Amino acid sequence: MTTDLAGDLTAIREATDGLLAAVGKLDDAALGEPSRLPGWTRGHVLAHLARNADALVNLFTAARTDTVVPMYPSEEARDADIERDATRPLAVQLDDLAVTASRFNDAAAALNPEAWSRRVAVRGGVTEIASRIPFRRLAEVELHHVDLGIGRTVEGLPADFVEAELAFLAGGRFAGHEDVPALLLRTAGGRALRTGREGGEPAEITGSAAALVGWLTGRTDGSGLDAGGSALPVLPPLG
């Protein structure tokens, strides 16, 4: 997957502005209601988005200084911070989202070409080239906007993002993953992507790019996808 740094950074700002505008129409009570993510309220989703921005700033620091800086001190600390911040009033949540978004933008602007080419350690022992971090942030903002359950759907996400996310999932996240069955994903536009475990005859799944992304990310049950008359394969959670 190619990287469009300028395009990703612009898309993040636009997606964040859209998220802030939509969340700003809610009230404190709405933040305590369940989101589409099991066990999380809308407040949990917003707290996660703010803390994720800070975590990615840590990765930018690692790239800029060419040192090892973890995204989070630990998984336990990550979860505790989300729980701590989930019950905050709407005004505090909005301010935190705006401030951390600005901090992310400033940290990105501080990187030179050499830093963008360095590898950094994301969660789960995975490493990533720093230039891919903006797209990861864009996916966080876009998909968690859907998770808030306030009107945004996977089908309503920008087409460019959906196509890029499908390529990321098929070419990176699920490629060669032993827990993911061999898949051949076909979009309505004729695009074909092989992913999942290597070897064997892949299950062919056809549908729109948005429907495929919704299913692969666990945001939908796969309605609208065609598995050739068979049931859709079971996918592991993204984690």
Side-chain angles (χ1 to χ4, degrees):
M1 178 181 171
T2 58
T3 300
D4 177 9
L5 265 177
D8 287 345
L9 291 169
T10 297
I12 291 168
R13 288 191 287 270
E14 293 173 350
T16 301
D17 287 346
L19 175 74
L20 289 170
V23 173
K25 298 176 182 177
L26 304 178
D27 56 25
D28 290 346
L31 297 193
E33 295 173 353
S35 73
R36 292 179 176 175
L37 294 178
W40 272 15
T41 65
R42 293 188 179 111
H44 283 90
V45 175
L46 297 179
H48 164 62
L49 278 170
R51 303 287 67 79
N52 172 261
D54 282 339
L56 296 181
V57 167
N58 289 338
L59 297 188
F60 284 150
T61 300
R64 179 175 53 82
T65 60
D66 197 17
T67 58
V68 177
V69 181
M71 281 186 70
Y72 300 96
S74 67
E75 288 298 302
E76 293 77 14
R78 169 189 176 272
D79 294 345
D81 285 349
I82 293 171
E83 286 295 333
R84 178 198 65 206
D85 294 343
T87 57
R88 298 176 302 177
L90 175 63
V92 178
Q93 295 276 21
L94 289 171
D95 182 66
D96 194 16
L97 286 168
V99 168
T100 53
S102 178
R103 198 148 53 219
F104 177 94
N105 293 335
D106 291 344
L111 296 193
N112 59 32
E114 183 180 3
W116 280 117
S117 69
R118 290 178 178 139
R119 298 197 74 86
V120 293
V122 297
R123 293 176 64 202
V126 176
T127 63
E128 180 69 281
I129 296 175
S131 61
R132 294 297 309 280
I133 298 305
F135 183 77
R136 284 178 173 266
R137 177 59 182 176
L138 178 60
E140 292 283 336
V141 177
E142 293 286 22
L143 293 175
H144 285 315
H145 193 162
V146 172
D147 295 332
L148 288 171
I150 55 177
R152 188 76 153 180
T153 64
V154 175
E155 291 75 16
L157 294 174
D160 288 348
F161 166 72
V162 169
E163 291 289 345
E165 177 70 357
L166 180 59
F168 168 72
L169 293 169
R173 192 66 181 269
F174 288 140
H177 198 306
E178 284 300 315
D179 292 335
V180 178
L183 300 172
L184 180 62
L185 309 173
R186 292 191 181 276
T187 69
R191 188 180 184 189
L193 302 97
R194 171 73 185 253
T195 194
R197 72 173 66 100
E198 298 177 359
E201 187 68 20
E204 190 167 323
I205 314 296
T206 303
S208 70
L212 288 166
V213 166
W215 175 60
L216 292 171
T217 61
R219 266 69 188 184
T220 68
D221 61 4
S223 298
L225 296 177
D226 181 6
S230 301
L232 290 169
V234 176
L235 300 177
L238 281 178

